[in-house]
Amino acid sequence: MASTHIVRHLRQNVISGGSPRGRFFRHPEPPRERTRVWPVYISFQGCPGRCVFCAQSVQAGAPPVSLGETLAAMEGGLAQAARDGRGPYELAFYGGVFTALPEPWPRRFLEAALRFRRAGLIGRIRCSTRPDACPPGLLAELAGLGLDLVEIGAQTFDDAVLIASGRGHDAQATRRAARAVRAAGLDLGLQLLPGLPRHDPAALARDVAETCALAPSLVRIHPCLVVEGTALADLYRAGRHVPWPLEATIDALAEALVPLWRAGVAVARLGLAPQPELEAAIIAGPRHPALGDRARARALLALVREEAAALGGAPAGLFAPRRFAGQLLGHAGELAPAYAALGLPRELLRFTRDEVFFLAAKAV
Ligand code: SF4
């Protein structure tokens, strides 16, 4: 039984006799796949314009190069990795609109990738794209060439925000594209960008509900940062864009996580991967090295709060799976006062080898 350790501990230390009273619950987060990614930056190729927030040139960490050079670098790098016995990797085409590359480039990239896949160096292949660049026929063709997952840069489902951000598509395009990706037999990923001009936490909650309804297999959430050299930086300097504060962003992310997890959606990343070039170019916006962990910890606190409310009385202690030991009280223990307010000071928190949580009720 999953709760053997908890029950034994309760019998020995908390409960004088009989069965333990309280609530067992599981963390709802679906398992996160941990793959090694081989990124291929396609340098704004396929983009119809430059989105106001986009800092792909900085994220790539290198000046743009032609598609021919990108393909040659990809093949050369993968061939070297194969000789070194490294891998397997998930090949990921980023930094442009893969499905809007001029013909025959999507096919060329995928045919090259397929050779390395057959050799066992590549496990999966994914690309990112825009909602208005997902024609069903092309998606079916790319699926046939070995593409596994298409990540759509939805950013938000709020049309006013999409207009204010100059995206050039509406939310309906995202819904259509998501259905087309799944109809082509591809896995669906969605990227959300909370904090764009005119976006607020209530709009993020609506975005999350829309996202759950589209049932992607993964979601990435990157809170909007103001990066030097973007149109958003000009708006910010002109006082026409106010970034979300850090604490409000972490709270909004935490509120987004619970419904996504409960819908079975894996949240792959919260915030951009740390990169020195990008860090140096950020001029404003909610950033913190432990942003994702802080949001996950607050989401877990929300789950414990729900259970405490359902307990209907004072808790005698919380037993948590050991793998949450570093997360439960939050970054630098910032959530300890919130747990204490629930009647769960540090001394009533225990970690076990079980995969379930148990919120024990006080004996009456
Ligand atoms: S956000 Fe995507 S579509 Fe927009 S400019 Fe950047 S890479 Fe191109």
Side-chain angles (χ1 to χ4, degrees), residues 154-176:
Q155 322 309 1
T156 176
F157 290 83
D158 187 310
D159 282 337
V161 175
L162 290 168
I163 291 169
S165 306
R167 279 289 284 176
H169 66 80
D170 59 10
Q172 195 53 29
T174 304
R175 296 181 196 109
R176 237 186 347 258

Side-chain angles (χ1 to χ4, degrees), residues 44 46-51 53-56 95-97 130 155 167:
F44 290 114
C47 301
R50 191 67 61 94
C51 302
F53 55 85
C54 185
Q56 286 293 348
V97 185
R130 288 172 54 94
Q155 322 309 1
R167 279 289 284 176

Side-chain angles (χ1 to χ4, degrees), residues 36 54 83 93 123 131 141 150 222-223 229 244 250 254 281 322 363:
R36 274 181 292 181
C54 185
R83 284 194 291 277
F93 295 97
E141 183 190 340
V150 173
H222 299 310
W244 285 10
I250 297 173
R322 196 166 286 160

Side-chain angles (χ1 to χ4, degrees), residues 76-95:
L78 288 173
Q80 185 61 50
R83 284 194 291 277
D84 295 346
R86 289 180 273 142
Y89 296 99
E90 180 173 10
L91 193 66
F93 295 97
Y94 288 137

Side-chain angles (χ1 to χ4, degrees), residues 49-68:
R50 191 67 61 94
C51 302
V52 293
F53 55 85
C54 185
Q56 286 293 348
S57 50
V58 184
Q59 281 171 253
V65 294
S66 70
L67 288 172

Side-chain angles (χ1 to χ4, degrees), residues 11 15 26 35 42 44 56 60 96 98 104 117 134 144 153 173 185 217 235 244 247 249 260 287 309 324 340 361 364:
R11 291 226 167 98
I15 311 273
R26 286 184 180 274
T35 55
I42 56 173
F44 290 114
Q56 286 293 348
F98 188 77
R117 187 175 202 156
C134 294
S217 45
L235 290 174
W244 285 10
E247 288 301 315
T249 302
L260 287 167
R287 59 177 163 153
F324 292 98
V364 284

Side-chain angles (χ1 to χ4, degrees), residues 241-265:
H241 171 64
V242 181
W244 285 10
L246 177 62
E247 288 301 315
T249 302
I250 297 173
D251 283 340
L253 292 176
E255 281 176 31
L257 282 173
V258 175
L260 287 167
W261 287 338
R262 285 186 170 148
V265 179

